[in-house]
């Protein structure tokens, strides 16, 4: 999963190909997020005008889908599983430790380290929890040390 974040186009240029298409809002949202890494306030305003919706309606669509973001994210995204099986394997302690180590709370991005911390509910890796997903890689029996070392190895 790429965090996108390419500022070479303005929102309206990216939206235009989808405006006349039935169901064009979703691909327009995906395209904006792919290019900018998130859907900015400016993009929301452009979408509302182009698709003839209110900005509140556009925000409703964005917030309905977990994949869309309205804030920039880090180069590295750590998703900690907080579902039941991982809870029985101390994921909440892991979350506390990693939060303190990285000076981050859930849904926050540290722009100095380029790390975003998020929660997720089951990564299909329940037997060897606590599980985390760092960008595209799922790690079992996760510890703070394992997470940090994975990010450093990837050039974090
Ligand atoms: S409950 Fe955490 S991976 Fe399934």
């Amino acid at each position: 999963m790429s965090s996108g974040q390419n500022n070479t186009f303005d929102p309206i240029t990216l939206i235009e190909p989808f405006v006349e298409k039935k169901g064009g809002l979703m691909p327009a949202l995906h395209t904006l997020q792919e290019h900018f890494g998130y859907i900015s306030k400016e993009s929301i305003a452009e979408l509302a005008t182009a698709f003839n919706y209110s900005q509140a309606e556009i925000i409703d669509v964005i917030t309905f889908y977990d994949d869309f973001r309205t804030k920039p994210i880090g180069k590295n995204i750590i998703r900690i599983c907080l579902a039941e099986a991982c809870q029985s394997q101390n994921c909440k302690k892991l979350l506390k430790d990693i939060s303190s180590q990285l000076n981050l709370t859930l849904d926050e991005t540290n722009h100095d380290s380029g790390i975003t911390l998020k929660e997720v509910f089951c990564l299909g890796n329940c037997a060897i929890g606590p599980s985390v997903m760092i960008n595209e890689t799922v790690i079992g029996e996760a510890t703070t040390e394992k997470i940090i070392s994975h990010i450093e190895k990837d050039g974090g």
Side-chain angles (χ1 to χ4, degrees):
M1 181 184 313
S2 163
S3 62
Q5 304 190 358
N6 176 342
N7 296 323
T8 53
F9 294 94
D10 68 49
I12 195 66
T13 309
L14 296 167
I15 292 167
E16 251 168 18
F18 305 104
V19 172
E20 297 300 323
K21 292 192 176 150
K22 194 172 176 205
L25 179 59
M26 290 302 282
L29 285 166
H30 281 289
T31 301
L32 287 166
Q33 183 156 290
E34 203 167 291
H35 280 269
F36 297 111
Y38 70 107
I39 317 280
S40 66
K41 280 185 187 161
E42 182 194 5
S43 293
I44 290 168
E46 297 286 5
L47 285 162
T49 304
F51 286 92
N52 202 21
Y53 288 119
S54 69
Q55 290 190 35
E57 287 170 317
I58 300 290
I59 291 167
D60 279 349
V61 173
I62 292 169
T63 52
F64 183 79
Y65 295 97
D66 276 350
D67 283 349
F68 293 128
R69 301 177 287 271
T70 54
K71 291 185 199 154
I73 54 162
K75 178 181 163 210
N76 289 298
I77 305 169
I78 301 170
R79 292 182 167 83
I80 299 194
C81 177
L82 297 180
E84 201 175 327
C86 285
Q87 279 191 33
S88 69
Q89 297 170 94
N90 277 331
C91 66
K92 288 195 170 170
K93 181 181 180 316
L94 176 64
L95 173 61
K96 201 172 157 202
D97 289 350
I98 196 75
S99 293
S100 137
Q101 180 84 21
L102 299 173
N103 197 22
L104 269 178
T105 56
L106 280 178
D107 289 323
E108 206 178 51
T109 298
N110 180 324
H111 292 286
D112 293 331
S113 64
I115 296 173
T116 299
L117 188 60
K118 298 193 76 71
E119 65 187 353
V120 70
F121 291 91
C122 198
L123 292 163
N125 198 42
C126 318
I128 53 169
S131 296
V132 301
M133 188 168 171
I134 303 174
N135 302 324
E136 302 294 335
T137 307
V138 174
I139 294 175
E141 297 177 335
T143 61
T144 299
E145 295 71 29
K146 260 191 186 178
I147 293 169
I148 303 283
S149 133
H150 183 89
I151 286 174
E152 285 173 355
K153 199 174 63 189
D154 272 8

